[in-house]
Amino acid sequence: MSEQSRMAHAQRFSSALRLSSTTLAALLIFGLGAGALAQQPAPTAVPVGTVIAEKRAITQTADFVGRIEAVNRVDIRARVTGYLEEVLFKDGATVAEGAPLFRIERSPFEAAVEQAQGALEKAQGALQNATVQRQRAEDLLKTNAGSVAIRDQRVADEKGAQGDETTAAANLKTAQINLGYTEIRAPIAGRIGRTKVTMGNVVGPDTGVLAQIVSDNPMYVTFPVSQREFLALKTNRLPADGQAPLVSLKFSDGSTYDQKGRVDFVDVSVERTTDTVLVRATLPNPAGKLLDGTLVRVAVQADKSEEKVLVPQSALIADQQGSYVFAVEDGKAVVKRVKVGAEAGSYVAIDQGLSGNEQIVIQGLQNLRPGVPVLASPVTLTTGRS
């Protein structure tokens, strides 16, 4: 073998050796990598607590802003002019119907009654005399001792005396009525506000309102309802059986009023400027918690119940796209986009997105991502359901 041939053979052997080394290194690296990947653990299942989305009948409710109004409200005014002697109530007190409130000086009106009584007696005497004169004229006419003209005059005098007696009797009655007006009494039962005129002043019909009484049991709540909500609640006509929609109230501090009422009036026309209908409900107020003029939240229940899917409010999550819940399907967390409806206690109705019987996550949501394996445990909710 020549020197040139030996050199070519050595080069081919060296190339083959380098190729074998590279292949062996690649195989070793590949084998080690595959083993390392094979040894990586599977993702750990996230423990979560779940409940079943149940479908049940609920009564739809709608919330409005309303105002409490007294059933009866009366402005107390003086009907005669006189010196105010007494104020017979305490500001803010509860008064009974017919209770005395103010007393105006009586003596001028008592004198007017006596004067009217005297005038009546005088008119009665004149009438009695006119009657006698008329009877005498008729008797004389029968014996041809009198004339027809005199008889007719006596009849006219008697008629005039009867008119004077009627006028005197009416004046006496007016004087007695005015005397009665010197004691101003409560026309209704309820709470009375502060007096606007104190004793010692002269009061009369032009003085204005002396005080105001508002009834306090029961009470009205009035609230405007938009056309859309009006049609949804189906409250445009009150049922003849008296089963009108139920109404409950919440105060500004979030507390719920412990009495419920029913809608008893729906206005006959729509307010054109706001496209709303005025609705009124009556509620009992035995403890006096409802005050005339108070703003409240009004929850109106529809007259018929509907089947809705309910989930706890704690299951809801919100983002820029809206609301969603996590459900468990095939051991993994799945996002369910939902349209939220009315609240039912600590639950919320789902109008779209769930059909019922889904396994909904309510605990462990902070560690949850779509597609993550989960270890679901059922949670029993014992409170908060309406």
Side-chain angles (χ1 to χ4, degrees):
M1 180 180 298
S2 66
E3 185 64 25
Q4 187 176 5
S5 298
R6 285 198 302 271
M7 289 180 65
H9 179 73
Q11 288 177 352
R12 286 195 298 272
F13 178 78
S14 175
S15 299
L17 181 61
R18 285 197 303 269
L19 179 61
S20 299
S21 299
T22 302
T23 303
L24 179 60
L27 290 174
L28 288 173
I29 292 171
F30 178 79
L32 288 173
L37 290 174
Q39 292 175 4
Q40 287 183 357
T44 304
V46 178
V48 295
T50 61
V51 296
I52 300 299
E54 59 176 311
K55 198 171 187 179
R56 59 185 175 92
I58 65 167
T59 303
Q60 184 181 359
T61 62
D63 290 335
F64 307 95
V65 177
R67 190 177 294 277
I68 300 298
E69 293 183 3
V71 174
N72 295 309
R73 181 185 292 103
V74 178
D75 290 336
I76 306 300
R77 301 174 184 267
R79 302 181 70 175
V80 293
T81 300
Y83 175 81
L84 185 61
E85 285 189 334
E86 290 183 89
V87 177
L88 304 171
F89 65 91
K90 291 183 177 180
D91 294 350
T94 299
V95 296
E97 182 178 353
L101 304 176
F102 298 94
R103 185 168 291 130
I104 298 172
E105 184 182 14
R106 293 173 57 88
S107 53
F109 298 94
E110 290 172 340
V113 170
E114 293 175 358
Q115 185 178 6
Q117 181 66 45
L120 175 61
E121 292 173 356
K122 182 178 179 180
Q124 288 172 339
L127 174 60
Q128 186 177 6
N129 181 63
T131 300
V132 171
Q133 295 299 325
R134 188 261 308 164
Q135 290 174 348
R136 183 175 297 169
E138 287 179 348
D139 292 340
L140 290 173
L141 183 62
K142 289 178 183 178
T143 61
N144 294 322
S147 66
V148 174
I150 293 176
R151 192 276 314 269
D152 292 344
Q153 181 63 47
R154 296 295 179 263
V155 170
D157 292 343
E158 183 183 29
K159 289 291 186 182
Q162 287 176 343
D164 291 341
E165 183 197 35
T166 301
T167 301
N171 290 336
L172 175 60
K173 187 174 182 179
T174 300
Q176 291 171 336
I177 291 173
N178 288 336
L179 177 61
Y181 288 157
T182 60
E183 188 166 80
I184 303 174
R185 296 179 174 271
I188 62 171
R191 295 186 64 191
I192 190 167
R194 66 182 181 88
T195 178
K196 298 179 181 179
V197 180
T198 57
M199 59 181 295
N201 289 282
V202 175
V203 296
D206 296 334
T207 303
V209 178
L210 305 182
Q212 187 181 72
I213 301 177
V214 294
S215 61
D216 58 359
N217 188 27
M219 298 290 277
Y220 290 145
V221 59
T222 58
F223 49 97
V225 178
S226 69
Q227 273 291 291
R228 180 179 58 81
E229 294 166 320
F230 186 73
L231 295 173
L233 287 173
K234 300 179 178 64
T235 58
N236 56 324
R237 288 188 179 273
L238 300 179
D241 59 3
Q243 297 301 309
L246 276 173
V247 169
S248 58
L249 305 181
K250 280 189 177 181
F251 297 111
S252 58
D253 62 355
S255 62
T256 301
Y257 182 53
D258 58 0
Q259 302 281 342
K260 291 187 177 183
R262 288 190 181 274
V263 172
D264 65 354
F265 170 76
V266 177
D267 209 348
V268 296
S269 61
V270 176
E271 175 60 45
R272 289 175 172 80
T273 57
T274 59
D275 197 33
T276 58
V277 179
L278 185 69
V279 179
R280 185 187 73 192
T282 303
L283 297 96
N285 188 33
K289 293 182 180 179
L290 301 181
L291 296 179
D292 181 56
T294 304
L295 280 175
V296 292
R297 297 290 302 181
V298 184
V300 182
Q301 297 181 3
D303 54 353
K304 294 182 180 179
S305 59
E306 296 182 70
E307 287 282 332
K308 293 286 185 179
V309 177
L310 297 181
V311 299
Q313 294 190 35
S314 58
L316 289 176
I317 305 173
D319 60 13
Q320 294 181 347
Q321 300 180 35
S323 298
Y324 66 94
V325 296
F326 275 111
V328 177
E329 293 181 358
D330 299 327
K332 294 182 179 180
V334 178
V335 170
K336 297 283 188 180
R337 291 284 171 182
V338 296
K339 181 180 178 181
V340 178
E343 294 183 4
S346 60
Y347 284 69
V348 65
I350 303 300
D351 292 337
Q352 293 180 8
L354 298 176
S355 58
N357 293 322
E358 290 90 348
Q359 197 174 5
I360 304 300
V361 178
I362 63 170
Q363 294 178 357
L365 292 169
Q366 64 275 12
N367 298 320
L368 218 51
R369 297 291 182 275
V372 171
V374 295
L375 180 62
S377 301
V379 176
T380 302
L381 299 179
T382 56
T383 60
R385 176 188 280 183
S386 65

